[in-house]
Amino acid sequence: MPETTTIKLSFCTGNPHKVAEVQAAFAQKLPGYVIEQQKIPLQELQADTLEEIAIFKLQSISQHLRPPFFIEDAGFFVDDVLRGFPGVYSHYVMDTLGCEGILKLLGDSSNRKAHFEAVIALMDNDNIIHTFKGVNQGTVSLEARGTSGFGFDPVFISDDTPGKTFAEIGMDAKNRISHRSRALEKLIEFYRR
Ligand code: IMP
């Protein structure tokens, strides 16, 4: 019987939903890779881009863990009217203003362009950092709708699913088109080469 080798990749996150999503994608597209969750407490850093935050986190993780390992950071960006806000502050803004706060800030503006962005940052076996970005473009709805998902899902209508918010299309449909799944696709492609 040929021996099957497995390659271990650590995913540093406290979020079990993200781990399940990444494990399912690897199991389907790149069996042989085992994704292991690592819970490493991380210092939060304020910076202008998700990439900068992700790279800072990787460097601090490297003091505790041997590569390869990766992390994922995401945010919601209201493009023109709020000039990208909440962006890197999404987590904090979700906890304070929530979806209703974003709707209030936008008022009845006709320009409601927004996007979700996810960055996966990987430190490979040779300590080299790679980043993979996934984006989903859309608009902010006029009111919060839907019950599935989390965060800003009830107020985001993807251009890929017109008329329905991320919270209305269901998790499976969202996972097929989300910013996170697009970043993940690029990570899997990197290991497929
Ligand atoms: P995180 O880096 O994935 O934890 O994302 C930071 C914040 O961005 C979250 O607390 C959410 O408010 C928001 N966010 C990120 N991804 C999503 C998503 O897929 N749907 C809705 N909100 C999201």
Side-chain angles (χ1 to χ4, degrees):
M1 281 254 286
E3 254 186 61
T4 46
T5 45
T6 53
I7 299 158
K8 199 186 88 178
L9 255 181
S10 297
F11 182 15
C12 305
T13 178
N15 185 332
H17 303 288
K18 289 186 183 179
V19 178
E21 188 180 336
V22 171
Q23 282 174 334
F26 266 89
Q28 192 195 354
K29 294 175 182 156
L30 209 56
Y33 280 76
V34 173
I35 306 300
E36 278 187 4
Q37 180 179 15
Q38 299 283 346
K39 294 183 195 170
I40 293 181
L42 290 173
Q43 218 185 314
E44 283 295 329
L45 162 92
Q46 285 309 348
D48 292 337
T49 65
L50 292 177
E51 278 94 341
E52 283 174 80
I53 295 172
I55 289 168
F56 171 83
K57 284 185 181 170
L58 276 191
Q59 283 160 343
S60 52
I61 293 167
S62 67
Q63 289 159 19
H64 308 275
L65 195 66
R66 280 162 65 116
F69 55 79
F70 64 94
I71 59 137
E72 187 259 19
D73 253 299
F76 178 58
F77 298 74
V78 180
D79 295 318
D80 300 327
V81 177
L82 302 186
R83 296 185 192 156
F85 183 83
V88 293
Y89 307 106
S90 293
H91 187 104
Y92 176 71
V93 170
M94 187 70 233
D95 288 349
T96 50
L97 304 179
C99 289
E100 290 305 323
I102 292 294
L103 291 174
K104 275 205 189 110
L105 285 173
L106 264 177
D108 59 2
S109 170
S110 59
N111 182 345
R112 308 185 75 82
K113 248 166 71 68
H115 71 274
F116 274 117
E117 200 171 297
V119 170
I120 290 178
L122 164 78
M123 185 171 281
D124 73 12
N125 284 332
D126 302 317
N127 294 318
I128 295 170
I129 290 177
H130 308 265
T131 58
F132 308 94
K133 186 155 133 174
V135 174
N136 192 291
Q137 296 285 354
T139 51
V140 177
S141 58
L142 290 167
E143 72 283 298
R145 294 197 317 256
T147 52
S148 86
F150 68 100
F152 296 100
D153 283 346
V155 291
F156 180 72
I157 300 176
S158 166
D159 291 344
D160 298 307
T161 51
K164 285 194 171 172
T165 67
F166 259 2
E168 289 178 307
I169 61 174
M171 281 312 275
D172 285 350
K174 181 188 161 188
N175 286 346
R176 281 196 290 276
I177 59 169
S178 76
H179 46 304
R180 192 167 293 106
S181 68
R182 287 175 177 165
L184 182 55
E185 196 61 51
K186 291 181 182 171
L187 172 70
I188 291 174
E189 214 37 63
F190 174 83
Y191 276 105
R192 258 207 197 115
R193 290 175 315 164

